[in-house]
Amino acid sequence: MGILIQNGTVVTAEGSRRSDVLIEGERIAKVAPRIDGSEHRIVDAEGLLVMPGGIDVHTHLDMPFGGTVSADDYRTGTIAAAVGGTTSVIDFALQSRGHTLGEALETWLAKSRDKACIDYSLHMAITDLGPNGESLDEMEAMVAAGVTSFKLFMAYPNVLMIDDGLMFRVMQKAAAIDALCCIHAENGAAIDVVVAQMLAEGKTAPHFHAHSRSAKAEAEATHRAIALAEMTGCAVYIVHLSNEEALRELKHAQRHYHRALAETCTQYLVLSIEDQMPGESWNESKFVFTPPLRKKKNQEPLWRALDDGTLSVVSTDHCPFTTEQKALGRDDFSKIPNGGPGIENRLQILWHFGVNSGRISPERFVELTSTAPAHIFGMTQKGELKPGKDADILLWDPKQRYTIQAATQCMATDYNMFEGWTVQGNARHVFSRGELVVEDGEWIGETGRGRFIARSANAGGFA
Ligand SMILES: [Zn+2]
């Protein structure tokens, strides 16, 4: 006996049509216009859209940063993801300087073990090559373990930032083993000078964070990262691209170098300096994340780039801190832990402001939130509704109106970046590997049921 999802409209990256979906065990067994239900448990999806579960490829759960640790651990973070319709995340393991990649992987697997509630994978952030380039050799062991993407920070000097030589060597290695390089593109050295000068002038309030990190600093680093990638032939993926200038660099590079991809994040599509960071109150510390909020005029170009394929993915960069944690930077914006909560609201925001407003189609929504992430990051069992794939299935109610509130959310923060917004379209039921884990918007699964996803090395889908 299987589970038969009947009477719904199946929406995939390729198209939409009324179909039934049969789940047997952990996998999808059949997708067809009419499947006989006499032997199966029936789930009625009348009026609902049946889509592959969301994949959020950019999250920071239980991560030490800025003198504290991000507020969601693997339990609360993955439950919040699931309730929002996301069935897989890719989180970041961070190498500590002077330590190996293997140690970082162990540390992050220990954080997730017995806690992750949906399936998850890891990127590895490289901060140190070791005295004899040991980390380069270790990249092969990481790929063998299913960690096939490597993150490099061009920002945060003395903490995470690497120099161009290190980046170039990692890219050469990545090209040789079909790994993907994920780049935080900002000119960290220049930004740090501006930050120090602002603080010396007494500019300590949260909104100066946004003014200290210019769009140009991101555009310059975006250009440089892709140029170095092109010199090595490696596939490169710019994370959290936030503004039109950086977008222009990406677009220009893509004309002659195809292995250049990028994501943007929910917050850059709908929040702005004008609306959230006018420079009036400490409350604006909630919106201190990096890259920072941009001027409103950047939003429409980002939406257009999602529609025309310049941008491939929408992730969240979920990196939650409570208001108490944010207070570490009460007198100095550079000490405010950088990051915001969003893992739970990605699909709601993208559907409401993207699909309902006609900026993207429902099919493109599925591609941006699930199918493309699976393809680019080598998650061969995820991202599609086809026989043999994992039964990670989202039953989406396009009519449901929902008001976003910190008081009712699953994320561990005491605020929400979209507080009080009413959106139309919400996750109703969610299956993870054939198991109903969210029913009528409530988490009903078991803690720790999520499994590590070993990904394949496919050079960002170009191999
Ligand atoms: Zn991040």
Side-chain angles (χ1 to χ4, degrees):
M1 179 165 126
I3 299 172
L4 182 62
I5 301 171
Q6 261 184 348
N7 306 320
T9 298
V10 169
V11 183
T12 68
E14 288 118 43
S16 303
R17 64 174 192 166
R18 277 188 83 93
S19 289
D20 295 346
V21 178
L22 178 63
I23 301 170
E24 279 177 352
E26 298 191 339
R27 303 225 167 141
I28 294 168
K30 196 174 176 186
V31 182
R34 274 243 155 268
I35 300 174
D36 173 30
S38 51
E39 290 173 16
H40 307 298
R41 188 182 131 206
I42 306 289
V43 174
D44 185 15
E46 182 68 47
L48 302 180
L49 305 180
V50 184
M51 312 193 276
I55 299 173
D56 190 343
V57 300
H58 192 152
T59 68
H60 300 280
L61 304 174
D62 199 359
M63 185 184 78
F65 192 55
T68 183
V69 179
S70 61
D72 276 309
D73 65 6
Y74 271 79
R75 189 183 71 82
T76 60
T78 54
I79 289 174
V83 165
T86 289
T87 49
S88 306
V89 298
I90 312 183
D91 206 66
F92 288 88
L94 304 186
Q95 177 196 22
S96 299
R97 290 202 169 136
H99 294 267
T100 66
L101 304 186
E103 287 172 275
L105 181 58
E106 262 318 300
T107 301
W108 258 264
L109 289 175
K111 288 173 190 285
S112 54
R113 201 170 291 137
D114 303 327
K115 283 195 174 176
C117 297
I118 55 172
D119 293 350
Y120 65 97
S121 193
L122 291 165
H123 310 280
M124 178 60 64
I126 299 178
T127 59
D128 182 359
L129 286 191
N132 301 300
E134 289 85 350
S135 297
L136 296 172
D137 296 328
E138 260 202 298
M139 285 171 69
E140 290 180 38
M142 290 298 115
V143 166
V147 176
T148 57
S149 46
F150 297 90
K151 170 92 172 272
L152 297 166
F153 289 88
M154 298 169 80
Y156 308 125
N158 307 316
V159 187
L160 296 167
M161 186 169 128
I162 44 82
D163 63 23
D164 291 351
L166 190 154
M167 179 157 66
F168 192 69
R169 291 178 73 185
V170 170
M171 285 175 162
Q172 284 180 322
K173 184 70 183 185
I177 60 176
D178 280 342
L180 178 63
C181 285
C182 301
I183 310 293
H184 176 133
E186 275 189 310
N187 189 316
I191 287 168
D192 260 26
V193 171
V194 177
V195 168
Q197 289 169 346
M198 282 184 162
L199 292 173
E201 290 166 21
K203 296 172 174 170
T204 60
H207 74 283
F208 289 110
H209 170 79
H211 299 293
S212 69
R213 314 182 79 92
S214 68
K216 182 69 82 186
E218 183 183 344
E220 183 279 322
T222 301
H223 174 88
R224 185 161 28 113
I226 300 175
L228 294 177
E230 186 172 357
M231 287 163 70
T232 67
C234 96
V236 63
Y237 179 95
I238 306 295
V239 300
H240 49 45
L241 190 143
S242 72
N243 73 82
E244 190 178 15
E245 276 192 70
L247 196 55
R248 219 175 284 138
E249 294 292 349
L250 172 70
K251 212 168 197 158
H252 184 258
Q254 283 175 339
R255 267 185 231 142
H256 52 93
Y257 190 59
H258 296 297
R259 296 186 166 202
L261 302 166
E263 66 179 16
T264 190
C265 306
T266 333
Q267 54 272 28
Y268 304 114
L269 295 166
V270 294
L271 306 179
S272 65
I273 288 185
E274 290 94 327
D275 290 345
Q276 276 73 33
M277 276 204 144
E280 287 162 5
S281 81
W282 164 251
N283 247 335
E284 295 166 20
S285 60
K286 291 172 187 169
F287 302 99
V288 169
F289 41 73
T290 300
L293 281 181
R294 302 299 188 187
K295 293 242 174 71
K296 225 173 191 160
K297 63 173 187 184
N298 291 283
Q299 292 175 356
E300 284 310 319
L302 291 175
W303 281 111
R304 276 199 300 278
L306 288 175
D307 185 47
D308 72 18
T310 309
L311 294 172
S312 304
V313 172
V314 176
S315 70
T316 60
D317 196 8
H318 176 77
C319 190
F321 296 103
T322 62
T323 49
E324 193 186 331
Q325 291 176 300
K326 290 279 183 183
L328 287 167
R330 196 82 176 103
D331 306 314
D332 173 350
F333 71 82
S334 73
K335 295 199 168 67
I336 299 171
N338 279 206
I343 201 167
E344 194 168 339
N345 307 115
R346 179 177 65 129
L347 301 187
Q348 294 165 341
I349 296 290
L350 195 67
W351 185 271
H352 186 78
F353 293 96
V355 178
N356 289 349
S357 72
R359 288 170 168 132
I360 56 170
S361 67
E363 292 78 15
R364 183 64 180 153
F365 170 89
V366 169
E367 192 165 25
L368 290 165
T369 58
S370 180
T371 308
H375 178 67
I376 291 168
F377 290 94
M379 302 164 85
T380 53
Q381 280 304 111
K382 310 290 192 189
E384 292 179 281
L385 295 184
K386 286 187 177 154
K389 299 280 181 184
D390 284 353
D392 286 6
I393 302 174
L394 166 60
L395 272 60
W396 183 259
D397 184 347
K399 295 267 187 292
Q400 190 191 334
R401 289 174 68 81
Y402 180 83
T403 300
I404 298 171
Q405 285 179 298
T408 53
Q409 73 188 10
C410 297
M411 298 184 291
T413 48
D414 53 346
Y415 66 92
N416 188 297
M417 298 197 293
F418 316 107
E419 182 70 29
W421 293 18
T422 297
V423 291
Q424 184 181 322
N426 199 17
R428 174 80 73 83
H429 308 304
V430 179
F431 290 87
S432 167
R433 269 183 289 101
E435 186 187 333
L436 185 65
V437 292
V438 173
E439 186 173 32
D440 285 319
E442 296 287 329
W443 171 258
I444 58 166
E446 257 171 52
T447 295
R449 58 169 298 289
R451 285 191 205 142
F452 176 76
I453 305 164
R455 294 179 290 121
S456 65
N458 68 356
F462 295 108

